Amino acid sequence: MNIILFGPPGAGKGTQAKKLVDFYKIPQIATGDILRANVREGTELGLAAKSYMDKGELVPDEVLIGIIKNRLTEADCENGFILDGYPRTIPQADALGEILVEIEKPIDVVLNFEVPDKDLVERISGRLMCKCGASYHKTFNPPEKDGTCDACGAEIYQRADDTAEAVQNRLDVYKKQTQPLIDYYDETGILRTLDGTTDINVVFEEIKAILSEFA
Ligand code: AP5
Ligand code: MG
Ligand code: ZN
């Protein structure tokens, strides 16, 4: 199964991706996590990306297209993959289409998470992250042990771009640059929209029901 998780910042893409990885045994490709790992390791890519990320701006398309092209050709994508946070612009979607034709792995479904802005701000401002990519929420999804990741035991922290200003900018950037992709994928008939406001496990059940159509 080749899946795109699509939606605004804080919609729950990363949270659901982790559940899908366990369920379908296919990898999550989260461009935000890849970029943050590069920032942490101080790579050239990370240094170039950090200033955009901290402001809530998109990192330039050519950087992302390069990352995705390399990642999708790795062996673990053989049986499918979950794209989380990519594509975010029309040029990124066009480039993805070309890569997927080349490697003969078309997208089966784009899952479009719908969550109103006020919920997004509340979710992002209470989010705690782990370097392994797991994401928690102080109220809605706390870890079992305070301050520690359930999945890997590392310390959890607040993301550098989860500040009030950056969040507002990320929502604006989403509306201007990313939302047009809803029509882009709807026209091809592979877009499915789901209510992202329900409980995390209810959202996951809805996703599994949608994906069973494509299995
Ligand atoms: P990225 O890391 O992709 O961030 P984002 O899109 O802004 O999305 P988030 O990770 O904030 O939200 P999410 O949908 O994963 O929500 P989560 O599951 O964590 O990108 C970061 C930056 O990197 C970008 O700003 C950009 O600079 C750069 N970048 C990345 N990809 C790029 C690209 N393709 N092109 C250019 N630049 C790129 O959930 C959020 C919170 O809500 C958590 O606390 C969670 O516990 C809680 N929650 C989740 N589901 C529920 C629920 N159902 N009910 C209640 N709470 C919930
Ligand atoms: Mg995420
Ligand atoms: Zn972890």
Side-chain angles (χ1 to χ4, degrees):
M1 187 97 67
N2 305 330
I3 307 167
I4 294 177
L5 301 182
F6 186 87
K13 304 179 297 290
T15 301
Q16 298 298 331
K18 293 287 176 213
K19 292 171 132 352
L20 287 165
V21 167
D22 289 343
F23 194 79
Y24 288 101
K25 312 290 179 215
I26 52 176
Q28 170 195 16
I29 303 176
T31 44
D33 290 346
I34 294 171
L35 291 169
R36 277 185 292 279
N38 275 278
V39 171
R40 243 188 345 265
E41 289 155 18
T43 67
E44 205 173 312
L45 177 76
L47 290 175
K50 189 176 186 322
S51 59
Y52 295 99
M53 296 174 77
D54 285 348
K55 284 185 282 195
E57 298 289 336
L58 294 182
V59 175
D61 284 338
E62 57 275 18
V63 175
L64 270 297
I65 292 167
I67 291 176
I68 278 298
K69 196 165 191 171
N70 287 333
R71 185 64 189 88
L72 282 173
T73 46
E74 282 179 34
D76 64 341
C77 295
E78 198 48 51
N79 296 320
F81 50 81
I82 303 157
L83 284 173
D84 162 7
Y86 184 100
R88 273 166 133 102
T89 64
I90 303 270
Q92 288 184 20
D94 286 339
L96 176 67
E98 285 167 25
I99 296 165
L100 295 179
V101 165
E102 226 168 273
I103 61 175
E104 297 180 33
K105 291 193 176 72
I107 295 296
D108 294 301
V109 59
V110 179
L111 293 171
N112 174 33
F113 290 60
E114 264 186 352
V115 179
D117 283 7
K118 67 167 179 30
D119 294 358
L120 297 172
V121 172
E122 198 183 3
R123 286 182 183 190
I124 293 171
S125 53
R127 171 168 49 197
L128 294 166
M129 277 293 292
C130 177
K131 66 173 178 354
C132 79
S135 119
Y136 300 90
H137 191 280
K138 287 173 188 164
T139 318
F140 307 138
N141 184 27
E144 278 168 27
K145 204 167 142 248
D146 231 13
T148 311
C149 176
D150 295 345
C152 77
E155 197 183 328
I156 54 177
Y157 58 91
Q158 187 164 34
R159 248 168 67 175
D161 59 344
D162 282 353
T163 58
E165 309 83 69
V167 167
Q168 193 49 56
N169 196 36
R170 277 156 66 197
L171 292 175
D172 293 344
V173 165
Y174 171 78
K175 283 185 188 132
K176 273 197 220 102
Q177 302 190 55
T178 307
Q179 202 155 267
L181 289 175
I182 294 179
D183 286 341
Y184 180 102
Y185 284 116
D186 200 19
E187 278 163 20
T188 67
I190 59 171
L191 186 91
R192 296 291 181 279
T193 295
L194 57 102
D195 177 6
T197 63
T198 56
D199 179 84
I200 290 171
N201 291 315
V202 176
V203 175
F204 187 53
E205 289 308 314
E206 196 182 340
I207 291 176
K208 281 194 293 185
I210 294 172
L211 294 183
S212 65
E213 256 185 75
F214 297 88

